[in-house]
Amino acid sequence: MPNTYNTKNSQEIAAELKSIKINRNTKIITMDIKDLYVNLPIQGIIKSTKYWLNKSSNNEEIIKQVLNILQTIMKQNYFQYKDKLYQPEKGIAMGSPISSTMAESYLQYIEGTHIKQWWDAGKITYYRRYVDNIIIIYDTTKVQDIITEQEINMDNNLQFKMTTENNNTINYLDLNLKRNESNLELSIYRKPKNTDTTIYYQSNHPYEQKIAAFRYYINRMITLPITERSKIEEWNTIISIATSNGYPKRIIHN
């Protein structure tokens, strides 16, 4: 099973997707984990951490100490509302320095106990997760025509919102995936509610801050394995965003 750790960025995932060979029986679904941090079970995190510690160390005393410290930290999950303090029965603090690590530890644990069996049986062609966004490519000759949310639901504590293809097209992260007969055609995706607003050119900000967004847009356009047509469309979009935010075209061209 491939490593699903969330250090993979959209460029790396795009390169993987571009290389995948598909056929008429291939289907693609994406899933979002709803309200991930507030729904993570504390005891589940303790259990998954213990599992990973046992895999990497044989020192029972150190493992015991780490788990005791972690349990103490997990229990310090308080929040204030209308001058009253509350302690949720589940969930981890979104602002805690260790929350992202604990979430990743738990998600990889349940992936190993649920998704791995699908992968080992050859039912899943591709599986990747970026934090709480999941993409799955599978063969309908090996599983039923459409995977349901109930079948793919890996954990009762988490809610998965599934999206299926629309006219052989689906979006994942900032990518638009169009399924052809043998491969995937990639282009850049922007959400419908995207305002294309950046720091205005005449604002009193350092130049490097103002131009940073456009450096990112252009770098993404160049590095993603998108079609030439998509690159032209994206370049026109970048110019349009720059113009609407007061930037001279010559700056973007430079």
Side-chain angles (χ1 to χ4, degrees), residues 8-197:
K8 290 274 185 178
N9 56 37
S10 61
Q11 280 84 358
E12 293 170 315
I13 294 175
E16 293 177 346
L17 292 169
K18 187 69 175 178
S19 65
I20 293 177
K21 300 299 180 183
I22 63 175
N23 55 53
R24 68 177 66 181
N25 300 316
T26 302
K27 293 289 184 183
I28 308 172
I29 61 172
T30 62
M31 294 194 300
D32 294 330
I33 305 177
K34 182 180 179 182
D35 300 327
L36 172 60
Y37 279 27
V38 299
N39 285 310
L40 287 171
I42 293 176
Q43 290 306 313
I45 291 175
I46 301 296
K47 180 180 178 180
S48 64
T49 303
K50 182 178 180 180
Y51 169 81
W52 294 118
L53 289 173
N54 283 326
K55 286 195 68 174
S56 61
S57 174
N58 294 321
N59 192 320
E60 294 184 2
E61 185 60 30
I62 290 180
I63 292 175
K64 182 179 178 181
Q65 289 178 12
V66 171
L67 292 176
N68 285 337
I69 293 171
L70 180 60
Q71 190 150 6
T72 300
I73 295 173
M74 293 289 102
K75 288 183 177 180
Q76 305 306 308
N77 187 15
Y78 299 96
F79 70 92
Q80 184 174 343
Y81 179 70
K82 291 186 177 180
D83 299 325
K84 290 185 178 181
L85 290 175
Y86 298 88
Q87 184 179 33
E89 295 181 357
K90 61 178 181 177
I92 56 180
M94 296 182 68
S96 170
I98 70 166
S99 290
S100 60
T101 302
M102 293 299 97
E104 188 62 35
S105 170
Y106 182 71
L107 290 175
Q108 287 201 30
Y109 174 76
I110 62 175
E111 284 171 336
T113 57
H114 292 76
I115 297 297
K116 188 177 185 298
Q117 59 184 341
W118 287 55
W119 181 265
D120 291 342
K123 295 180 178 181
I124 293 178
T125 306
Y126 181 82
Y127 177 92
R128 182 65 69 192
R129 175 176 53 80
Y130 181 82
V131 189
D132 57 355
N133 296 284
I134 298 170
I135 182 170
I136 298 175
I137 301 177
Y138 65 99
D139 191 331
T140 57
T141 62
K142 297 181 180 180
V143 295
Q144 70 177 53
D145 186 48
I146 297 178
I147 296 179
T148 65
E149 291 186 28
Q150 289 73 25
E151 288 174 316
I152 204 65
N153 190 12
M154 294 180 284
D155 187 90
N156 292 330
N157 297 289
L158 304 177
Q159 299 179 46
F160 295 84
K161 180 184 177 183
M162 187 174 72
T163 303
T164 57
E165 298 176 47
N166 182 15
N167 294 326
N168 297 333
T169 301
I170 197 167
N171 302 313
Y172 181 66
L173 301 178
D174 58 352
L175 298 171
N176 176 269
L177 315 177
K178 183 177 181 181
R179 181 163 55 86
N180 296 324
E181 290 185 2
S182 60
N183 61 6
L184 293 173
E185 183 178 293
L186 275 57
S187 60
I188 292 175
Y189 168 71
R190 286 181 171 83
K191 293 182 178 180
K193 293 183 179 180
N194 184 53
T195 61
D196 290 333
T197 300

Side-chain angles (χ1 to χ4, degrees), residues 174-233:
D174 58 352
L175 298 171
N176 176 269
L177 315 177
K178 183 177 181 181
R179 181 163 55 86
N180 296 324
E181 290 185 2
S182 60
N183 61 6
L184 293 173
E185 183 178 293
L186 275 57
S187 60
I188 292 175
Y189 168 71
R190 286 181 171 83
K191 293 182 178 180
K193 293 183 179 180
N194 184 53
T195 61
D196 290 333
T197 300
T198 67
I199 300 175
Y200 198 73
Y201 181 66
Q202 298 296 335
S203 65
N204 190 24
H205 285 76
Y207 178 78
E208 287 301 317
Q209 291 182 10
K210 292 190 286 189
I211 207 68
F214 297 99
R215 291 188 186 278
Y216 166 75
Y217 292 150
I218 294 172
N219 180 70
R220 180 176 64 173
M221 176 188 69
I222 294 172
T223 57
L224 283 178
I226 60 178
T227 64
E228 288 302 317
R229 184 184 71 254
S230 296
K231 286 184 179 181
I232 294 173
E233 292 175 353

